[in-house]
Amino acid sequence: ALRVIYEIVVMILSAGIVYATIAGIRGKKVTLSDILNTVFKKALNIVAVSILMVIILLVSFVLLIIPVFFIMPRVVLALYFVLDQDLDPIEAIKASWECTKASEGKFYGILGVCLLIALPIITIIGILATIYFGLMYSAAFALFYAYLLNHKPPAIPQTK
């Protein structure tokens, strides 16, 4: 039971970082209070979209492993849609699916850089470099989200 509570708290706190990152790339200043208010109001949707994404990815992994490589880049931005556009979990997954169409290469580019940033963690000095570069690169998916919103046809729902 404690593990489940821990995972839910991590989901919500991670969503707070995503929300702050989205605001940051738009030049908005948000306070810790703004972040906490937003994520707590959307906590059920945050947890639901996170669980749905895990289920989708696990099922696609079990179905021969290969499908996960096609599905993961398409659903990766669902949480961004929940936080930024106040969509429910199913709408957010659908919006992420549509928004990321033909952008799998960009997703894998971001993922590749994330893996390269994580590699030095195996050395003591690398730990500091990993922390530094990881923090510097943490906005990559938020920038990917903003880029896709600005380069897609109006079929993607904008803010409610």
Side-chain angles (χ1 to χ4, degrees):
L2 237 75
R3 179 67 183 187
V4 172
I5 293 169
Y6 169 79
E7 292 298 330
I8 290 170
V9 169
V10 167
M11 283 179 214
I12 293 170
L13 292 177
S14 297
I17 293 168
V18 169
Y19 178 77
T21 305
I22 292 169
I25 65 167
R26 290 186 174 149
K28 293 182 191 173
K29 291 186 179 187
V30 290
T31 65
L32 181 59
S33 174
D34 296 334
I35 295 167
L36 292 175
N37 285 335
T38 300
V39 296
F40 285 127
K41 284 180 196 170
K42 299 176 182 190
L44 285 175
N45 283 343
I46 291 167
V47 172
V49 80
S50 300
I51 290 170
L52 280 173
M53 286 175 52
V54 167
I55 291 169
I56 289 168
L57 294 173
L58 280 175
V59 168
S60 67
F61 183 77
V62 170
L63 294 174
L64 299 173
I65 299 174
I66 301 299
V68 78
F69 295 106
F70 298 106
I71 293 173
M72 184 174 30
R74 301 297 298 278
V75 298
V76 73
L77 298 178
L79 179 60
Y80 291 79
F81 282 100
V82 166
L83 291 168
D84 186 45
Q85 299 192 15
D86 206 23
L87 299 181
D88 70 47
I90 301 295
E91 289 174 331
I93 289 172
K94 287 178 182 177
S96 177
W97 190 270
E98 286 302 313
C99 189
T100 56
K101 195 180 294 183
S103 295
E104 291 89 354
K106 290 174 182 61
F107 165 80
Y108 282 114
I110 293 169
L111 186 62
V113 172
C114 289
L115 291 174
L116 287 174
I117 289 170
L119 283 178
I121 203 161
I122 57 175
T123 67
I124 298 295
I125 294 176
I127 292 172
L128 295 175
T130 299
I131 291 169
Y132 174 77
F133 290 119
L135 288 172
M136 295 292 108
Y137 202 70
S138 65
F141 278 108
L143 289 168
F144 180 48
Y145 168 77
Y147 168 83
L148 290 176
L149 282 184
N150 291 326
H151 291 86
K152 287 291 175 184
I156 296 169
Q158 295 300 315
T159 357
K160 281 188 173 180

